[in-house]
């Protein structure tokens, strides 16, 4: 079985983000980038499937973006993916276009399962998995919190919804997007980091894929969230209680 | 907050444990003291530390300072109604004959100064630490009065007691330079204006060589990355809150209990080095994150697994990394140098600032107010590399400090008093 896992390079969401002068892009200078945390969960899940699946499993990590995505893909390789493909692209892509590129890659690679993060923590779109499933006409399960293989190429997936856990049955091929509680990603082991240095990262240009950009979304402006918190030093607990009561009244 | 040109007796640059403890002791002695920090108090190395306290060091001077530190901490606990010191006891273990030799020396030294220490065999160790691999141990020793200081509790106690003693604190205010007139300190230039004082204490931790540099003083410290992991509580591997700390110098690791899980940290041979001047102005150490494929993290996990076989790269855990301040000999810089009157340094704690800080505050207050202290501080005097060739350029300093860090657990030790007597 072949599993394709998408790996997006995103700014570390815990860092202080600044905007560029034109307010259309974030200022990437000095900003640490990481593998999208939900994608790391997807990578981990693919590794666990390989470890427990009866037959051989090949895991291919896919990245779309700037040259530095190389490093992000190395992370997936060090965690245990078998090989990686980078589709170089150096400007903004909306989910429709990302799913378009992925569709082409999937036609080339023929995986039976695509694992993705439920969303990337930079754009928070939560659309790519769904759009990709629609383009391919494949089964999809989003927000997965448990994946179980059953006989005859069937999958049982639990997904987290606001009203509880929903259990879906899926036929392969399928697209599954990972939620936070699906697993806890591993750190790469020493031998695995060494091995990853030798694993290939293939580069495929969008032109080779026969894909042309079809932008649907344009970023017009970004702005920083307003955080003008006022701080006061309180005298004691009763002061605090009084202020909480006051705040409850006015809100 | 307008104290644009307010006057203080002493301004302390840096609100980590070193600066906070110094300010507390100055405040207690009636000195009008201001602590200035570029971020929040305790947001530097202090906020990342594990707090391990092993009191028995290579010299009697260092050992008795740490023992006195525990007493200071116990008083603070009473004053602030909190638990800082967790007395878990500590173990040193040996799996090679060289390390067994170290342990024999340590026990001899401890006994010679009536420090509680005993030798244990592998079976006794296994009883104390059922979650640790012990079948390869040649020797071990146990110090029941050791443990760890909880860094966050210690920090808040310093601040609480400091406020009661009249110390003022100013946060989110970077000091840009130390001001002097004709070789005498006059205050500091901060991003919010000038504050005046005849005495300035440089307690800026990993940044302290930059602060010193702003007054044209060469301070031979380097900023070095350090990692530890904290496993999440696991019902199959319960780690009791009072389970002893472990030092395994052969594998370069230490461990201690933390919230039902285990902290394991490592002094690797080739650490990550940082140039603080290259980090962004608003760099925040508490936001440092360890990548899933970080090499030093993998080294640490590998080493931890040698001693705690149930730990591997899949164990649910948090990886923490932070920046320490190392000196070429692993001893701190406390005191002044000849070239600027009124500038005191209090930095370079080489991975042990949490546990050294209680006494260091007293020493600094003594040095600033009396010009001397009852403690034997020869090994930590700030001017020991002053104008010493080989310790003047950043690259020389960095390589010597990194080598010190790298050999920290690697080299085989002989306590001073034993080697002196030979
Ligand atoms: C991962 C890790 C584990 C550790 N484990 C242990 C341990 O087990 N036991 C132990 O004893 N120690 C341990 N340490 C070491 C310990 O954290 C330090 O020795 C100690 O915190 C040093 O305190 P400090 O006050 O000198 O420095 P810091 O805590 O770094 O304080 C310096 C302060 O100065 C401020 N500052 C810097 N420049 C300026 C400026 N220009 N203007 C204003 N403010 C400025 C910073 O914001 C910072 O708050 C560990 C450290 C790390 C990183």
């Amino acid at each position: 079985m072949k599993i394709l896992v998408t790996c997006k390079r995103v700014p570390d969401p815990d860092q202080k983000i600044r905007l560029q002068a034109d307010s259309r892009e974030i200022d990437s200078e000095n900003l640490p980038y990481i593998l999208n945390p939900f994608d790391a969960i997807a990578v981990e899940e693919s590794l666990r499937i390989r470890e427990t699946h009866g037959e051989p499993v090949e895991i291919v990590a896919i990245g779309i973006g700037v040259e530095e995505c190389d490093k992000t893909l190395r992370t997936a390789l060090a965690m245990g993916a078998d090989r990686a493909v980078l589709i170089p692209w150096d400007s903004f892509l909306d989910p429709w276009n990302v799913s378009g590129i992925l569709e082409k890659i999937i036609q080339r690679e023929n995986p039976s399962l695509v694992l993705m993060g439920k969303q990337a923590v930079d754009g928070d779109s939560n659309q790519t998995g769904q759009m990709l499933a629609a383009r391919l006409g494949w089964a999809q399960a989003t927000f997965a919190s448990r994946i179980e293989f059953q006989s005859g190429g069937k999958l049982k997936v639990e997904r987290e919804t606001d009203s509880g856990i929903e259990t879906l049955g899926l036929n392969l091929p399928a697209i599954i997007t990972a939620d936070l509680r699906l697993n806890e990603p591993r750190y790469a082991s020493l031998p695995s980091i060494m091995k990853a240095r030798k694993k290939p990262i293939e580069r495929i240009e969008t032109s080779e894929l026969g894909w042309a950009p079809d932008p649907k979304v344009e970023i017009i402006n970004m702005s920083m969230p307003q955080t003008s918190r006022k701080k006061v030093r309180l005298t004691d607990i009763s002061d605090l209680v009084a202020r909480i009561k006051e705040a409850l009244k006015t809100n | 907050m307008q104290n644009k040109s307010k006057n203080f007796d002493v301004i302390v640059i840096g609100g980590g444990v070193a600066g906070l403890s110094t300010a507390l002791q100055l405040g207690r002695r009636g000195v009008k003291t201001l602590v200035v920090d570029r971020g929040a108090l305790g947001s530097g190395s202090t906020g990342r530390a594990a707090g391990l306290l092993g009191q028995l060091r290579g010299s009697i001077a260092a050992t008795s300072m740490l023992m006195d530190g525990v007493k200071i901490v116990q008083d603070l606990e009473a004053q602030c109604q909190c638990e800082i010191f967790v007395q878990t006891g500590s173990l040193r273990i040996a799996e090679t004959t060289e390390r067994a030799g170290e342990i024999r020396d340590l026990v001899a030294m401890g006994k010679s100064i009536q420090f509680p220490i005993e030798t244990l065999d592998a079976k006794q160790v296994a009883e104390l630490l059922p979650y640790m691999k012990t079948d390869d141990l040649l020797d071990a020793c146990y110090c029941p009065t050791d443990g760890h200081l909880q860094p966050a509790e210690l920090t808040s106690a310093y601040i609480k007691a400091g406020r009661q003693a009249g110390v003022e604190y100013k946060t989110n205010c970077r000091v840009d330079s130390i001001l002097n007139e004709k070789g005498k300190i006059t205050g500091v230039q901060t991003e919010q204006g000038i504050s005046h004082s005849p005495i300035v204490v440089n307690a800026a931790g990993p940044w302290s060589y930059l602060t010193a540099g702003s007054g044209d003083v060469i301070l031979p410290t380097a900023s070095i990355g350090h990692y530890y992991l904290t496993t999440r509580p696991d019902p199959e591997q319960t780690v009791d809150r009072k389970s002893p700390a472990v030092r395994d110098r052969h594998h370069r690791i230490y461990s201690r209990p933390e919230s039902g899980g285990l902290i394991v940290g490592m002094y690797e041979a080739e650490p990550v080095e940082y140039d603080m001047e290259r980090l962004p102005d608003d760099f925040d150490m508490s936001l440092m994150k360890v990548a899933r494929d970080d090499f030093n993290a993998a080294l640490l996990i590998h080493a931890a697994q040698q001693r705690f076989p149930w730990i591997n790269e899949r164990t649910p855990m948090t990886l923490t990394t932070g920046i320490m301040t190392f000196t070429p000999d692993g001893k701190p810089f406390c005191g002044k140098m000849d070239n600027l009157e009124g500038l005191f340094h209090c930095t370079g704690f080489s991975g042990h600032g949490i546990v050294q800080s209680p006494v260091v505050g007293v020493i600094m207050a003594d040095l600033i107010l009396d010009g001397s202290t009852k403690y034997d501080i020869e090994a930590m005097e700030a001017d020991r590399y002053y104008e010493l060739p080989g310790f003047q350029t950043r690259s020389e300093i960095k390589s010597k400090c990194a080598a010190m860090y790298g050999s920290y657990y690697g080299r085989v030790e002989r306590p001073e008093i034993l080697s002196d007597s030979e």
Side-chain angles (χ1 to χ4, degrees), chain B residues 100-259:
Chain B
E102 266 181 3
I103 286 187
R104 269 196 310 278
D105 286 350
L106 204 66
V107 173
M109 162 168 174
K111 295 225 153 115
S112 76
I113 56 168
Q114 279 80 48
F115 183 85
I117 184 165
E118 56 190 286
T119 313
L120 299 185
D121 62 30
K123 200 167 143 263
Q124 290 167 306
V125 176
E127 275 161 26
L128 267 179
L129 287 139
Y131 55 85
M132 187 173 82
K133 175 177 146 114
T134 48
D135 56 11
D136 59 340
L137 296 188
L138 294 183
D139 209 348
C141 65
Y142 177 58
C143 302
T145 56
D146 278 349
H148 59 268
L149 301 184
Q150 305 193 82
E153 307 296 323
L154 179 64
T155 306
S156 18
Y158 281 144
I159 299 166
K160 195 168 171 188
R163 281 217 173 90
Q164 287 170 7
V167 177
E168 291 182 43
Y169 303 89
K170 195 168 172 61
T171 54
N172 298 309
C173 177
R174 191 183 58 243
V175 171
D176 288 324
S177 63
I178 295 171
L179 304 175
N180 72 84
E181 264 165 38
K182 299 191 196 95
K184 278 191 185 159
I185 289 291
T186 57
V188 294
Q189 171 77 54
T190 77
E191 52 182 333
Q192 294 171 26
I194 291 177
S195 292
H196 293 290
S197 67
I199 290 169
V200 166
V201 179
N202 174 18
W207 292 265
S208 48
Y209 72 88
L210 294 178
T211 336
S214 80
D216 285 332
V217 176
I218 295 170
L219 191 73
T221 65
S223 305
I224 292 179
H226 183 76
Y227 292 70
Y228 62 78
L229 60 83
T230 313
T231 64
R232 273 193 262 301
D234 172 357
E236 309 216 332
Q237 296 296 348
T238 45
V239 180
D240 191 83
R241 210 180 105 74
K242 294 281 178 137
S243 187
V246 177
R247 285 177 189 75
D248 177 351
R249 292 169 58 87
H250 177 66
H251 289 117
R252 298 171 164 270
I253 55 169
Y254 59 81
S255 72
R256 76 154 170 92
E258 170 67 33
S259 315

Side-chain angles (χ1 to χ4, degrees), chain B residues 14 16-18 37-38 45-46 49-52 175 203-207 351-355:
Chain B
V17 282
D37 201 290
R38 61 190 284 282
S45 312
T46 296
L52 251 78
V175 171
W207 292 265
H352 289 78
I354 301 297
V355 299

